Amino acid sequence: MRIYFCSDIHASDRCWKKFLASAKFYDADVIVMGGDITGKFVVPIIEQKRDRYLCRFNGVERKLSGKDLEKMSAMIADGGSYAYVTTDDEYRAIDGDPVRVDELFRRLALERLGRWMEMADERLGDSTVRVLVSAGNDDYPEVDEVLARSAKVEDPNEAVVELGGDLQLIGLGYGNRTPWACPRDISEEELAQRIDTLVSKVREPERTIFSFHVPPYDTGLDSAPRLDGEMRPVMGPAGVEMVPVGSTAVREALLRYRPFLGLHGHIHESRAIIDLEGVLAANPGSEYGEGILNGILIDVEEGRAPALAMVTG
C-alpha cells in the first residue's frame, strides 16, 4: 500500500488540484490531507469606475480592466486567498464592520471548499483511490458539513478509518492553544482526552496511523518563530528565534501508545521526518502561498516498518 500525505494548503486552488493529481502521479492507493484547508485572507478587487478596478495583492497595487478579473482572481485563489469584486462604498461598509467581514470570509471559504468537493467527485469518483481530508485548527466547524457532501472524500477527523489488512488510521483536527485563538484550538487536557477516546476504538495502536494535525512538542516537527507582544517574530543574533510550539498531549500519546506512524502538519516551517524514541513521525511542511505542494510518501509492506520519503510537486 502506498499513502500520500500533505497538509496546510490554506485554500490554494493550485495545491488542491495537485493533491487530487497526486494519486496518479505517485501511484498512491490513499491520499490524505491533514488539515488547515481554508484560507486566511480576502483580497478586495474594488471597482473604481466602469470596467476599471483596483486590487492590492502580495504588496503590489494593480490596476485592472474587466478582462483582467478572471486571471487576477485565479492568481489570488492559487495563492490561497479569496478574491472579492466589490464597489468602493460596499468595501468601506464591510471593512468597518467585523461581523460583516467574518460573514463574508466564512461564505467565501465554504463556497471554495464546496467547489473542491465537487472537483474531487468529478476527477476521482470512478477511481479506487481513497481520499481522506480533515479540517485543522484553523478551520471553521462548518467545514465538516461541507466535507460530508462529497461522495468521494472521507473525513477522518475523530474517526477510525480502515486502510486495509490490519492497518487503521485515526484523525484529529484540533490543536493546542495558539496566540490567534483559532476555531479548533483547545487545551492540552482536552486534546489528551480526545486522543484517549479515539485510541480506545482501535484494535492495536501499534498498527494505527495517528493523523493528528498538531505535531508533538519539542521534536523538530514544531519549530516556529518566537513572537513578541505585538505578534512579530523576535530576531536574535542568528536571525529569527525559533521555539517549539507543538502539543505535549500529542507527544505523550505517541510515546504511550507507540503508533505505527505519526503524521502531522500545522507548523509550515518544520518539514522533517523524525524518530521519537522508536516512533516514526513526520511533518511535510507547507509552501502553499507559492503553489508548492509538499508531501510525504509512505510505503507499507506487511511485517516491515513504513518507508517514508519527502516529495515536492
Side-chain angles (χ1 to χ4, degrees):
M1 177 190 304
R2 171 168 284 184
I3 301 167
Y4 173 81
F5 177 84
C6 62
S7 189
D8 296 80
I9 65 169
H10 287 289
S12 168
D13 253 358
R14 179 171 294 175
C15 287
W16 176 254
K17 292 170 185 174
K18 289 181 177 182
F19 171 66
L20 295 182
S22 67
K24 182 177 180 180
F25 188 83
Y26 295 114
D27 194 24
D29 304 291
V30 184
I31 58 175
V32 184
M33 177 71 68
D36 280 5
I37 50 180
T38 55
K40 295 176 178 289
F41 302 105
V42 174
V43 178
I45 300 177
I46 304 171
E47 186 176 19
Q48 303 295 291
K49 56 184 179 180
R50 185 176 178 82
D51 205 41
R52 290 292 181 269
Y53 302 84
L54 189 65
C55 169
R56 178 173 288 275
F57 180 57
N58 285 343
V60 178
E61 187 171 274
R62 306 162 192 265
K63 295 181 179 179
L64 311 169
S65 64
K67 63 181 176 60
D68 302 319
L69 289 183
E70 185 175 350
K71 183 178 180 180
M72 189 71 239
S73 296
M75 184 186 301
I76 292 168
D78 283 343
S81 294
Y82 304 105
Y84 184 64
V85 180
T86 182
T87 64
D88 191 58
D89 288 343
E90 183 187 33
Y91 169 73
R92 292 178 186 277
I94 293 176
D95 190 49
D97 187 337
V99 173
R100 290 185 68 183
V101 169
D102 184 69
E103 288 175 348
L104 174 63
F105 181 87
R106 191 179 301 245
R107 176 172 66 81
L108 295 175
L110 297 179
E111 283 177 357
R112 179 168 301 169
L113 187 59
R115 290 195 295 273
W116 282 5
M117 294 303 100
E118 293 172 0
M119 195 183 301
D121 290 346
E122 291 168 2
R123 297 190 180 187
L124 296 177
D126 294 330
S127 74
T128 59
V129 65
R130 302 274 297 278
V131 183
L132 279 65
V133 180
S134 172
N137 71 306
D138 243 3
D139 299 317
Y140 291 116
E142 297 96 321
V143 162
D144 297 346
E145 301 170 14
V146 180
L147 294 176
R149 295 177 197 164
S150 169
K152 185 63 178 178
V153 170
E154 304 172 60
D155 182 359
N157 189 26
E158 295 195 280
V160 179
V161 178
E162 298 287 346
L163 293 179
D166 63 348
L167 194 64
Q168 296 177 300
L169 178 147
I170 53 177
L172 190 65
Y174 294 87
N176 52 311
R177 303 283 186 198
T178 69
W180 298 277
C182 298
R184 300 186 198 230
D185 285 357
I186 58 178
S187 68
E188 292 284 7
E189 292 75 19
E190 186 176 348
L191 266 175
Q193 290 170 2
R194 288 177 183 266
I195 291 170
D196 290 343
T197 298
L198 266 174
V199 176
S200 71
K201 299 176 183 178
V202 307
R203 289 186 298 270
E204 299 176 81
E206 62 270 22
R207 294 295 298 168
T208 303
I209 294 173
F210 286 14
S211 180
F212 296 168
H213 179 66
V214 64
Y217 179 78
D218 197 18
T219 56
L221 302 181
D222 68 323
S223 297
R226 183 193 299 276
L227 301 178
D228 64 17
E230 309 237 339
M231 308 290 281
R232 296 172 303 193
V234 175
M235 302 299 292
V240 177
E241 291 187 13
M242 305 296 282
V243 293
V245 296
S247 165
T248 56
V250 170
R251 181 188 176 106
E252 290 164 6
L254 293 184
L255 292 174
R256 176 185 176 189
Y257 294 114
R258 308 195 67 78
F260 184 71
L261 176 64
L263 294 176
H264 312 279
H266 186 51
I267 306 303
H268 303 178
E269 303 90 341
S270 288
R271 176 175 167 84
I273 298 170
I274 61 123
D275 184 323
L276 178 61
E277 297 183 24
V279 178
L280 276 177
N283 177 354
S286 175
E287 298 177 79
Y288 74 92
E290 289 74 43
I292 297 169
L293 186 64
N294 293 329
I296 300 169
L297 282 182
I298 305 115
D299 284 315
V300 180
E301 292 186 31
E302 189 174 349
R304 295 187 179 182
L308 276 62
M310 291 287 193
V311 292
T312 297

